[in-house]
Amino acid sequence: MRLYSTDQGIAREDREGELSLLDLPFDELGALLRGPGVEAARSARTLRRVALGEVRVLAPVRRPGKVLIVGLNYRSHAEEALEMLAAMGRGPVRMPQEPNFQVVAGSAVIAPSEPIVLPAVAAAEVDYEGEVAAVIGRTATAVATADAGTCLAGLTVVNDVSARDIQRRAMSGDPIASIGVSKSFDSFKPLGPCLVTADEFAEPFDLRIRTRVNGELRQDDRTSSLIHRLPELISFLSRYQTLEPGDVICTGSPRGAGVFSDRFLRPGDLVEVEVEGIGSLRSGVVAA
């Protein structure tokens, strides 16, 4: 089931390119998940049908309670990051044995139609990272890996945008900076365009993920390359804080982020993140 949050309410894509606007007392999927849950959309009455282009698509969850960022979770990305750290004399370095994560602000989430805004205080080294995002559908506290799938509402696409200069300051021990702050600026988490429910995917899922900047392919990998699979991530993260309906987990990004080639985002750029079976997230870039 493919579900959208739109400016006309929650919609289900029953036919490709055509949305069924649903008779639900919620204006977006986050509220639905915190209420009766995603299955309520399956049986909801259709109010009317519209073409996808006739509505404004919003982020599936407009204001998550929290967004959790998992770093170094594709082997290709971990290898290039560790190579850079070693070159900087930050050794010895090795592959992560447990998920590396940060909690960032839900206020960073924006709709697919909204631009990434380069913040005035950190505009020089803003970077993209295309990722699959998991949206939590039911409360999870210290959940077992075997049961983690029951806590998943579905998958969507996210661009984990970062201010790398702030991130580098944090990694160098600057007490004012933090990795979470570098990823929490307004507009730094474009999310969407839709939520595809978990029953559409077989675990372990194997989806192609690609990121393009101005049409140039920068990232290209498959989710089968994840070091820590989604059930492991949900289980691990739920030991540190309760995961609640509408929370978003960014599962990691493959090789090819701009920091490794010194190619950062500039006003006028267009970033496209495409995930097989989910869709494409397109975000323009503007100055503050």
Side-chain angles (χ1 to χ4, degrees):
M1 185 168 53
R2 300 174 68 85
L3 299 173
Y4 291 78
S5 293
T6 81
D7 61 351
Q8 298 184 39
I10 293 173
R12 186 181 61 226
E13 190 174 12
D14 292 324
R15 301 187 188 93
E16 186 176 356
E18 181 181 271
L19 299 184
S20 298
L21 294 169
L22 302 179
D23 185 14
L24 290 167
F26 308 99
D27 61 357
E28 54 96 29
L29 290 168
L32 177 70
L33 295 175
R34 291 185 285 269
V38 74
E39 284 304 308
R42 197 177 298 277
S43 57
R45 183 172 68 93
T46 297
L47 295 174
R48 61 191 178 94
R49 292 185 172 86
V50 297
L52 181 56
E54 293 179 33
V55 299
R56 179 172 176 251
V57 173
L58 309 175
V61 181
R62 284 191 299 193
R63 192 60 83 240
K66 52 186 171 291
V67 179
L68 299 107
I69 308 295
V70 180
L72 304 180
N73 200 31
Y74 280 80
R75 191 164 300 278
S76 62
H77 178 52
E79 288 171 349
E80 67 179 350
L82 297 181
E83 288 168 6
M84 175 175 280
L85 289 172
M88 294 167 58
R90 298 282 301 279
V93 292
R94 59 190 180 92
M95 283 287 186
Q97 302 303 301
E98 290 187 325
N100 173 286
F101 75 96
Q102 304 288 330
V103 181
V104 307
S107 57
V109 169
I110 57 170
S113 59
E114 295 181 280
I116 298 165
V117 180
L118 305 179
V121 296
E125 298 183 17
V126 175
D127 199 2
Y128 58 86
E129 288 183 286
E131 308 194 12
V132 175
V135 179
I136 296 298
R138 65 176 64 178
T139 301
T141 304
V143 67
T145 300
D147 299 325
T150 66
C151 304
L152 178 66
L155 303 178
T156 187
V157 185
V158 67
N159 186 352
D160 176 24
V161 180
S162 307
R164 296 295 192 186
D165 46 357
I166 302 292
Q167 184 176 16
R168 186 169 56 253
R169 282 170 51 192
M171 294 172 67
S172 299
D174 185 332
I176 297 176
S178 77
I179 294 175
V181 167
S182 77
K183 295 174 175 286
S184 290
F185 285 98
D186 292 349
S187 81
F188 270 26
K189 293 296 169 285
L191 190 71
C194 62
L195 176 76
V196 182
T197 53
D199 60 315
E200 297 284 337
F201 304 98
E203 178 59 41
F205 59 95
D206 179 27
L207 309 174
R208 189 178 185 183
I209 178 169
R210 289 176 286 185
T211 304
R212 293 180 173 88
V213 179
N214 301 326
E216 178 189 357
L217 185 64
R218 298 278 185 89
Q219 296 181 293
D220 188 359
D221 210 328
R222 303 194 69 87
T223 56
S224 53
S225 300
L226 286 169
I227 296 172
H228 305 289
R229 309 293 300 184
L230 185 52
E232 299 171 52
L233 293 178
I234 293 173
S235 176
F236 181 86
L237 295 170
S238 73
R239 298 179 214 161
Y240 289 86
Q241 61 271 293
T242 294
L243 302 179
E244 299 174 320
D247 286 351
V248 174
I249 300 172
C250 303
T251 58
S253 189
R255 174 184 288 269
V259 67
F260 300 103
S261 58
D262 198 31
R263 291 188 291 180
F264 298 106
L265 298 179
R266 297 289 180 256
D269 285 348
L270 176 66
V271 187
E272 300 171 274
V273 183
E274 180 184 4
V275 178
E276 181 182 7
I278 303 177
S280 182
L281 175 66
R282 304 172 78 247
S283 305
V285 180
V286 300

